[in-house]
Amino acid sequence: MKLTLYQIDAFTNHLFGGNPAAVIPLDQWISDSLMQRLAMENNLSETVFFVPSVNPDADYEIRWFTPESEINLCGHATLASAFVLFHVMGYGYPAIRFQSKSGLLTVTKNFDRISMDFPAWKPERLTEWPAELTTAMGNIAFTSVHKHRDYLIEVADEAIVQHCQPDFTLVRKLGHKVILTARGTKADFVSRFFAPAVGIDEDPVTGSAHAQLIPFWAEKLNKQTLHARQLSKRGGELWCEYLGDRVTIAGQCVFYMKGEIDL
């Protein structure tokens, strides 16, 4: 069996920036164990698979795998999948409807940006949290801690986010992903994302984290439309909108390579 693999840099307008995703289009689903082994072999933060949908309400079914496990939502790999469909595979309609474990995700093309319609995951403020969380984040001062799928830690300024040096062994023991965020100087807000529990010490740019960050910052800044930057080494840029129970997350992509997997 031969499979085609595309590697796409997502949430960036230049090569070697943003977040690389491995995109593997399928005619029909292969086994979960094989998808997991392929993700482990690719060793990127996410390998994404999609197949044509038999459901008339969706165009494709989509699933995402880290090197260690399947996850329920991934923004950059969805963006990369849409890029492959629009710009490589000749998908001719203005919108792509992906059926996923997080429901129906609609993706549209707008000039050089691709926009994703995702669920809004509004995090709830915590009054207490494990002491290990503070230690794992290098004992930086937290302004507040919230949680939905992941811990969302707000700090006082962008420099704290930029220079934080987490203890990834301790973060992994927590068993939760962690978002670190602050108001930005060149964007409305900035963030970093740590997920050693699923095999990713730091994810370069994370769409699913912004499903939580957008409701948080929209309420805090009293703004519906937001510009975001993720301050990983590769860096990434996102254009966001808060729509109540949904968010839109837009970004650019760059083609890196096409390969063939021989199984």
Side-chain angles (χ1 to χ4, degrees):
M1 178 170 58
K2 296 184 185 296
L3 302 175
T4 301
L5 178 147
Y6 302 94
Q7 189 166 317
I8 305 298
D9 290 342
F11 291 120
T12 184
N13 62 1
H14 62 274
L15 200 58
F16 311 124
N19 199 351
V23 180
I24 302 178
L26 300 171
D27 294 323
Q28 58 187 14
W29 288 119
I30 56 180
S31 70
D32 290 8
S33 62
L34 180 54
M35 287 190 285
Q36 187 61 71
R37 290 198 298 271
L38 288 166
M40 180 178 64
E41 184 74 11
N42 292 333
N43 201 33
L44 295 174
S45 57
E46 260 82 30
T47 296
V48 56
F49 304 86
F50 59 80
V51 301
S53 177
V54 297
N55 183 343
D57 294 328
D59 302 303
Y60 292 90
E61 298 173 14
I62 191 168
R63 295 174 69 180
W64 312 275
F65 290 78
T66 78
E68 293 193 5
S69 63
E70 184 175 9
I71 59 171
N72 67 337
L73 185 65
C74 176
H76 86 278
T78 304
L79 197 75
S81 297
F83 179 87
V84 167
L85 283 161
F86 282 131
H87 295 284
V88 181
M89 297 177 66
Y91 184 87
Y93 298 97
I96 306 169
R97 300 167 300 168
F98 289 111
Q99 185 62 50
S100 78
K101 292 193 173 182
S102 291
L104 193 67
L105 310 174
T106 302
V107 183
T108 55
K109 182 173 63 173
N110 185 14
F111 297 102
D112 64 337
R113 294 182 192 171
I114 295 171
S115 180
M116 304 179 293
D117 176 81
F118 271 22
W121 289 345
K122 185 176 180 180
E124 298 296 327
R125 183 161 188 157
L126 303 180
T127 56
E128 56 183 34
W129 52 87
E132 293 82 4
L133 180 61
T134 305
T135 306
M137 300 306 291
N139 293 303
I140 59 175
F142 297 171
T143 300
S144 66
V145 178
H146 291 66
K147 192 171 186 297
H148 185 82
R149 184 190 71 179
D150 314 319
Y151 283 116
L152 190 156
I153 301 168
E154 180 194 5
V155 294
D157 63 64
E158 181 175 315
I160 298 172
V161 176
Q162 181 76 70
H163 299 297
C164 178
Q165 297 183 7
D167 184 324
F168 293 121
T169 301
L170 292 180
V171 178
R172 184 183 182 93
K173 288 180 179 178
L174 285 169
H176 291 281
K177 308 174 193 73
V178 179
I179 304 164
L180 186 64
T181 189
R183 294 189 189 215
T185 55
K186 296 181 180 179
D188 291 301
F189 66 90
V190 298
S191 66
R192 291 171 68 192
F193 184 78
F194 312 109
V198 293
I200 309 158
D201 283 350
E202 180 168 2
D203 194 40
V205 197
T206 317
S208 62
H210 286 77
Q212 299 154 88
L213 285 160
I214 294 166
F216 175 80
W217 283 109
E219 183 174 284
K220 195 171 186 70
L221 299 176
N222 194 28
K223 292 181 69 174
Q224 185 177 1
T225 303
L226 300 154
H227 177 215
R229 294 175 62 232
Q230 196 154 328
L231 301 181
S232 63
K233 185 176 180 180
R234 293 175 63 102
E237 192 169 19
L238 309 92
W239 291 267
C240 314
E241 189 172 7
Y242 182 44
L243 302 172
D245 61 345
R246 307 292 294 180
V247 298
T248 61
I249 305 167
Q252 297 164 290
C253 287
V254 178
F255 185 97
Y256 174 60
M257 73 169 189
K258 175 184 178 181
E260 185 176 78
I261 301 169
D262 193 354
L263 297 172

